[in-house]
């Protein structure tokens, strides 16, 4: 069975409550109809109920089973605002500022999760990544023991000989512009867990660089080598190796030549890039030139799943991301 079908089957069993923060956006409403029809999750749409009613009527969309919440008038505003003031007391947030912030569905959604009124959220069809992520980072925060939120892509290839049965996992393609060595190590360990949880992949993690095992000398190479060492300390059971070049990570003969004896070189299924520039450009190259399907970014390390869509997303991208978010909520 294809990965996305497995993810949808698990989502159906879980019946988690997912907030669609951009509830007055057409693709989001079309996706909500499909999600409800396929029973992938319970859905809350944020937005003005009258606008949603007019739009769904005009377009012939049925979202009657969705909960619709207007962040401007909802009865829980005061409660959420008090929670926000408590969470941000060191930053001096006032109750008036919190109430004003809650007018923004991108703040209201994470607060629903924080208060236990929802299990996950997605947005980003009409908002920039930073605007989706900032309130999530400020209020939902990270999992215990995790300091860095990052984003992975599941790259799906028609050629099943690539990676793990046609799947490679790339990180961090979405969040941390310039991770230090400790953050890079954390991204590697978290990505291995995500790959296992979502795609049941037995992780073999390559820490990518422009050097393999000291073939080049540079501070950027040291960063990846040190991150590999720290990741080993954090998760000694994990198959992780680096620093290594992309060909050493993926091509058996090159791996054996450049990194003999490695349990990762030549057979990596998780690629951890040294920074966001390389990772973001890298996944788009593989998507556009190799024709791989890119599922993500799946955000990881947050205390509850909140995922960001691309503004160019399709209705089926939103449906898939809801199913993934529901899986992450467990
Ligand atoms: N993990 C955990 N917490 C974080 C992280 C992170 N990766 N980044 C920021 N934070 C926390 C900060 O500590 C801060 O907490 P505080 O307010 O409690 O002190 C809060 O989040 C806000 O952080 P700032 O640095 O003030 O916010 P900023 O907006 O500058 O940065 C952001 C956060 C939005 C994630 C930024 O790093 C960013 O824009 N990253 C790039 C996103 C992007 O454009 N990706 C590419 C597009 S996505 C794609 O193509 C698939």
């Amino acid at each position: 069975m294809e990965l996305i079908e497995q993810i949808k089957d698990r989502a159906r069993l879980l019946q988690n409550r997912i907030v669609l923060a951009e509830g007055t956006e057409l693709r989001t409403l079309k996706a909500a109809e499909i999600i409800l029809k396929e029973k992938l999750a319970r859905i809350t749409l944020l937005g003005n109920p009258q606008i949603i009613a007019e739009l769904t009527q005009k377009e012939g969309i049925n979202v009657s089973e969705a909960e619709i919440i207007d962040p401007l008038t909802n009865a829980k505003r005061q409660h959420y605002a008090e929670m926000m003031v408590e969470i941000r007391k060191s930053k001096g947030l006032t109750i008036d500022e919190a109430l004003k912030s809650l007018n923004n569905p991108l703040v209201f959604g994470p607060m629903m999760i924080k208060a236990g009124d929802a299990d996950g959220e997605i947005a980003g069809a009409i908002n920039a990544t930073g605007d989706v992520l900032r309130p999530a980072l400020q209020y939902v925060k990270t999992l215990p023991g995790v300091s860095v939120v990052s984003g992975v892509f599941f790259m799906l290839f028609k050629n099943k000989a690539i990676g793990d049965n046609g799947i490679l996992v790339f990180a961090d393609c979405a969040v941390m512009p310039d991770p230090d060595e400790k953050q890079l190590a954390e991204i590697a360990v978290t990505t291995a867990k995500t790959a296992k949880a979502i795609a049941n992949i037995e992780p073999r993690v390559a820490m990518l660089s422009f050097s393999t095992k000291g073939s080049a000398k540079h501070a950027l190479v040291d960063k990846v080598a040190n991150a590999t060492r720290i990741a080993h300390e954090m998760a000694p059971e994990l198959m992780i190796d680096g620093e290594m070049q992309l060909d050493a990570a993926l091509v058996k003969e090159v791996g054996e030549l450049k990194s003999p004896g490695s349990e990762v070189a030549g057979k990596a299924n998780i690629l951890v890039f040294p920074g966001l520039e390389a990772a973001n450009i890298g996944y788009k190259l593989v998507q556009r030139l190799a024709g791989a399907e890119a599922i993500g970014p799946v955000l990881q390390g947050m205390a509850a799943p909140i995922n960001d869509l691309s503004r160019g997303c399709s209705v089926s991208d939103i449906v898939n991301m809801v199913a993934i978010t529901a899986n992450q909520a467990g």
Side-chain angles (χ1 to χ4, degrees), residues 88 91 129-130 133-134 137-138 141-142 147-149 153 173-177 276 280 283-284 297 308:
R88 308 277 303 161
K91 309 274 174 184
T129 299
L133 287 186
R134 216 167 288 109
L137 295 171
Q138 288 172 340
K141 297 192 181 281
T142 51
S147 67
V148 184
V149 169
F153 272 90
C173 309
V175 186
M176 206 66 203
L276 181 56
N280 191 270
Y283 101 78
K284 285 177 197 278
D308 175 42

Side-chain angles (χ1 to χ4, degrees), residues 6 30 43 83 86 108-109 166 171 227 231 236 243 246 266 270 274 284 317 320:
Q6 292 170 26
K30 287 182 177 172
I43 290 295
M83 286 175 64
E86 179 59 26
F108 197 92
E243 87 293 345
L246 184 84
I270 296 177
K284 285 177 197 278
D317 290 336
N320 290 347

Side-chain angles (χ1 to χ4, degrees), residues 24-180:
T24 54
E25 196 272 330
L26 188 57
R27 286 164 298 172
T28 303
L29 287 169
K30 287 182 177 172
E33 179 180 43
I34 296 169
I35 294 154
L36 293 166
K37 203 164 143 206
E38 294 187 12
K39 298 195 185 311
L40 297 176
R42 288 176 282 164
I43 290 295
T44 300
L45 295 165
L46 298 186
N48 182 308
Q50 201 177 333
I51 296 176
I52 294 174
E54 281 167 13
L55 202 53
T56 49
Q57 207 170 5
K58 179 165 163 256
E59 298 288 334
I61 298 168
N62 179 2
V63 288
S64 55
E65 283 176 45
E67 175 186 38
I68 297 174
I69 288 182
D70 186 348
L72 296 181
T73 56
N74 187 257
K76 290 202 165 159
R77 283 173 57 85
Q78 184 68 26
H79 173 52
Y80 292 168
E82 284 165 13
M83 286 175 64
M84 289 166 70
V85 168
E86 179 59 26
I87 295 167
R88 308 277 303 161
K89 64 180 171 215
S90 67
K91 309 274 174 184
L93 185 78
T94 66
I95 194 89
D96 285 346
E97 286 166 344
L99 283 165
K100 195 166 163 220
S101 290
L102 282 167
N103 294 347
N104 179 355
L106 299 178
V107 176
F108 197 92
M111 287 315 298
M112 285 185 70
I113 296 172
K114 191 72 190 170
D117 295 329
D119 302 307
E121 181 211 35
I122 67 169
I126 47 171
N127 284 287
T129 299
D131 295 335
V132 175
L133 287 186
R134 216 167 288 109
L137 295 171
Q138 288 172 340
Y139 295 107
V140 174
K141 297 192 181 281
T142 51
L143 281 167
V146 175
S147 67
V148 184
V149 169
S150 53
V152 308
F153 272 90
F154 290 85
M155 305 300 296
L156 311 187
F157 299 84
K158 290 201 175 73
N159 180 353
K160 302 295 178 202
I162 296 174
D164 193 293
N165 196 26
I167 304 173
L168 282 175
V169 185
F170 288 12
D172 159 28
C173 309
V175 186
M176 206 66 203
D178 186 17
D180 64 23

